[in-house]
Amino acid sequence: MQVNSGTFGKLAAALVILVLAACETREPPTARYVPPEPPARGPNSPFPVPEPVDKPEPEFPIVAAPLGKKAIATATLDDVPGGGTAAPPPKRPSYGGKASAPSVPQGTPKPAVAGERTITVESGDTVYALARRHGVNAREIIELNGLEPPYGLRVGQKLRIPGGERHSVVPGDTLYSISRRYGVDIDSLTRANGVGENNGIVIGQLLVIPAATGGALEPATSVAAVVPATQEAAPRKQEKVPGGFIWPASGEVIATFGPQRGGAHSDGINIRLPRGTKIQATAAGTVVYTGNELKGFGNLILLRHTAGWVSAYAHNDDVLVSRGQAVGKGAVIARAGSSGSVQEPQLHFELRQGARAVDPMQYLPPV
C-alpha cells in the first residue's frame, strides 16, 4: 500500500495537536502539608509553653548576688559555751551594802586560783579561740588576765588560763550542798573562792571546785554554809526588817554573841528553855532550810526575811514547818529541845545580814 507523503505529513501534524491539547487540560498536582508526628510523652512530661515572640524585657531586672560571697561571722562571747553577751555576768555583792560588784579598777588581773595554768600566745590566737581550745569561758580569761576591750593579744604574751572544774550557782545551792556534790572539803571550797562567813554565794556565781581530798568529808560547822544562794547581796547594816524583830522565845540567855571560852566563837545567842517551849518566827519570812546536816546544831530551821536577812533556830526537838513555807511574824515554827551537841533544852538563835552573822541582841527588843 502506498501512502502519499502529503497525507503522512497531515497525520503527523494532527497527532501533535492531539498531544498538546491533552497536556493543556490536565490539572497540576495539589501540595498537601503533613505535620510531623509529635514525640511520645511520658506520664510526668510537662506540656510545652511557647515563648512569645515579642516578649518584653523586665522593667526592673533582678540582679543576683555574686557567687562565692558569704556573710562574715562576728565572734562574740555567745560563741563560747558558758560565755554570753545576751545576759551580763552575775553581779558580785559588795558585802558593804549595795548589790553591785566590788570597786576594782578595770584591767586589774584576778589573784591566782587553784588549777590555773599559763600559756604563750601564738600567731592567730584570740581570746575566743583560746576559750574554745581549752574548754573555758572567754569572760573568765578576760577577767583573770585583766584584759581590756577590744581584748587584743600579742604574740609571745603570757596568758593565764583558768583550770579545774567549775560550778555555776543555781537557786537552792549552798556551800555545803556544793561541797557534798563534788566530794570536796567545805573549807577547801571556801578558801579557793574567797567566800565564807562574811560573803556568801549568789545565783550565777562561778565557783572553782578544788581537787577532792579523798578523805572523810567533815560536816559544816557554820550556818553560813547552808544559807541558800540569793540574787540579792547582803544589805547595809542600817537596812532593817519592817516592824523589827521579836524574841523567838522568852528565857535566860546563857551564851552571848562573839568569842567564847576555849577559843570558840558563837555566831548567835543561846536561850535556856523548858523542853517543848514554842519557838516563834522572829519576823515574817520564808523557810529556806530544815535539817540536821550541820555538826552540833541538831534540828535547824532557817528563815529568809526581807532586805536579805536570815534567822536561824537550832537544837529543836520538833520542827513544825517545811522548806518553802511562808510564815508570819510570831508563828510557831518549832518546839525547844536538846538535839545536837547540847545537854539541856535550849535554843541557839542567829541573825544574819546575808551570810554575815550579827549580834542578835542589837536588833531584838530590850528585856
Side-chain angles (χ1 to χ4, degrees):
M1 172 177 165
Q2 293 182 351
V3 179
N4 190 330
S5 59
T7 304
F8 178 80
K10 293 179 180 180
L11 292 174
L15 180 62
V16 171
I17 293 172
L18 291 173
V19 171
L20 291 175
C23 291
E24 288 177 358
T25 58
R26 183 181 300 173
E27 293 182 1
T30 303
R32 296 180 56 195
Y33 172 76
V34 179
E37 290 290 332
R41 295 181 62 252
N44 297 320
S45 299
F47 288 98
V49 179
E51 285 279 284
V53 177
D54 56 345
K55 179 180 179 182
E57 291 294 327
E59 184 177 359
F60 301 102
I62 299 173
V63 180
L67 298 177
K69 296 290 185 180
K70 293 184 178 180
I72 300 175
T74 302
T76 68
L77 292 180
D78 289 325
D79 298 330
V80 183
T85 54
K91 292 182 179 180
R92 300 299 192 267
S94 64
Y95 307 115
K98 296 181 180 179
S100 59
S103 179
V104 178
Q106 188 177 20
T108 303
K110 282 189 174 182
V113 296
E116 75 172 39
R117 56 197 182 279
T118 302
I119 65 164
T120 302
V121 176
E122 300 178 355
S123 177
D125 280 347
T126 66
V127 170
Y128 308 103
L130 291 172
R132 290 188 181 93
R133 185 182 310 162
H134 295 279
V136 297
N137 190 316
R139 196 177 299 278
E140 288 184 86
I141 297 179
I142 291 170
E143 294 180 355
L144 190 61
N145 293 275
L147 302 179
E148 297 182 4
Y151 313 125
L153 303 178
R154 304 184 310 276
V155 174
Q157 179 181 354
K158 299 296 183 182
L159 207 62
R160 296 159 59 189
I161 302 296
E165 195 167 10
R166 298 293 196 276
H167 174 83
S168 181
V169 177
V170 299
D173 272 351
T174 67
L175 288 170
Y176 183 76
S177 66
I178 295 170
S179 70
R180 290 306 184 265
R181 184 179 310 168
Y182 292 94
V184 299
D185 183 78
I186 192 168
D187 290 335
S188 301
L189 179 63
T190 55
R191 284 195 303 269
N193 294 278
V195 297
E197 285 295 312
N198 297 324
N199 51 348
I201 55 177
V202 294
I203 295 172
Q205 183 175 355
L206 204 61
L207 298 180
V208 176
I209 306 299
T213 57
L217 299 179
E218 289 293 327
T221 57
S222 169
V223 169
V226 295
V227 175
T230 179
Q231 291 179 329
E232 56 187 12
R236 289 172 293 181
K237 190 171 183 178
Q238 60 266 32
E239 289 188 79
K240 297 181 179 180
V241 170
F245 299 104
I246 63 172
W247 283 82
S250 298
E252 179 188 0
V253 177
I254 56 177
T256 57
F257 178 88
Q260 307 294 309
R261 288 183 298 178
H265 184 281
S266 175
D267 287 342
I269 60 175
N270 285 45
I271 306 171
R272 179 182 287 123
L273 298 170
R275 189 180 301 278
T277 300
K278 296 178 180 179
I279 306 299
Q280 299 177 324
T282 189
T286 303
V287 181
V288 294
Y289 176 85
T290 60
N292 55 9
E293 297 173 307
L294 266 69
K295 184 179 181 180
F297 282 77
N299 296 322
L300 172 68
I301 299 172
L302 298 183
L303 299 183
R304 190 184 297 282
H305 311 285
T306 59
W309 284 89
V310 175
S311 58
Y313 313 77
H315 304 313
N316 305 294
D317 263 1
D318 299 314
V319 173
L320 305 179
V321 291
S322 56
R323 183 173 179 176
Q325 181 178 343
V327 297
K329 186 176 184 177
V332 178
I333 59 175
R335 297 190 183 278
S338 55
S339 60
S341 60
V342 295
Q343 303 300 319
E344 60 177 328
Q346 57 189 276
L347 170 68
H348 175 76
F349 175 70
E350 296 183 14
L351 278 179
R352 291 178 171 267
Q353 293 179 308
R356 184 173 64 89
V358 299
D359 186 355
M361 300 291 285
Q362 296 182 3
Y363 298 89
L364 295 173
V367 291

